[in-house]
Amino acid sequence: MNESNLLLSTFMQRRASLLRYFAARVGEAEAEDLVQETWLRVASQPAVDEVRNPAAYLYRLCGNVMLDRLRQERSRAARDAEWRRVNRTLVANGEEVCEDVPADNALIARDRLRRIRAALDDLPAPVRQTFRLHKFEGLSHSEVAAELGVSRSLVEKHMMRALKHLIARVGR
């Protein structure tokens, strides 16, 4: 029997024991994954040297698998902590808030803004100017009326026309 078959045979005989070994150290939730990872390493490694004690070799391999997993988790935790440090802000109640807009939301917003601009360009200049002063510059209806030298009633009519047009072209 070659070394690889001997290790696989030993692994299969001791699988339940290996599962208990991992469960005692990392808990049952991860134990099965670690046993599977150990099996993959045993099954994929070429037989190079003679293994005198396959059981001891397996348990040493199990220790290495756990150490590798621990290193991966520490690296992942450090990477995640650094990302949170750079991309998140803590608000008063201690809750984390991400200041970045998700990419899909940004694309949707850009497309919507493009459609709004195109729809506004279809409006007559006085209606478009009224809308921009009120919505983009933040002026009240009275301030827009004073700026344009028109009545407040006309500003309201222009706003109604602009909003109806935008709803028809872009939606709510």
Side-chain angles (χ1 to χ4, degrees):
M1 179 179 279
N2 70 27
E3 321 266 315
S4 181
N5 289 340
L6 180 61
L7 281 176
L8 283 172
S9 174
T10 305
F11 175 88
M12 295 309 290
Q13 291 169 357
R14 295 182 179 256
R15 186 183 184 292
S17 175
L18 295 173
L19 189 59
R20 286 190 303 275
Y21 173 83
F22 282 125
R25 286 155 181 81
V26 297
E28 290 183 31
E30 277 197 65
E32 191 66 44
D33 285 345
L34 292 172
V35 167
Q36 183 68 24
E37 172 121 2
T38 303
W39 180 85
L40 286 171
R41 288 193 187 182
V42 167
S44 66
Q45 83 184 174
V48 182
D49 297 324
E50 180 181 312
V51 177
R52 291 186 187 128
N53 188 341
Y57 182 86
L58 275 177
Y59 283 99
R60 179 65 173 171
L61 184 60
C62 288
N64 291 342
V65 166
M66 278 191 303
L67 284 174
D68 289 348
R69 179 72 57 99
L70 179 62
R71 286 183 192 118
Q72 288 172 356
E73 287 174 4
R74 284 183 181 165
S75 176
R76 186 177 305 119
R79 184 179 56 247
D80 290 349
E82 178 62 14
W83 185 89
R84 279 192 305 278
R85 186 187 68 73
V86 170
N87 295 298
R88 303 260 178 180
T89 302
L90 287 178
V91 290
N93 65 357
E95 183 178 335
E96 284 188 10
V97 179
C98 181
E99 295 181 9
D100 291 341
V101 176
D104 56 342
N105 290 351
L107 288 173
I108 291 167
R110 273 192 224 117
D111 180 59
R112 187 170 174 88
L113 181 59
R114 182 192 53 75
R115 292 184 299 145
I116 289 171
R117 284 184 175 156
L120 285 174
D121 288 341
D122 292 343
L123 292 170
V127 176
R128 185 174 54 240
Q129 187 176 18
T130 300
F131 183 84
R132 287 191 171 137
L133 286 172
H134 178 63
K135 291 297 185 180
F136 297 151
E137 301 296 326
L139 300 179
S140 69
H141 286 185
S142 299
E143 292 169 329
V144 172
E147 176 84 20
L148 298 177
V150 297
S151 70
R152 181 184 163 129
S153 174
L154 183 58
V155 169
E156 291 171 357
K157 288 177 186 172
H158 285 328
M159 287 302 299
M160 292 286 285
R161 183 175 177 187
L163 291 172
K164 284 181 184 177
H165 178 73
L166 286 174
I167 289 170
R169 289 278 311 271
V170 179
R172 292 182 181 234

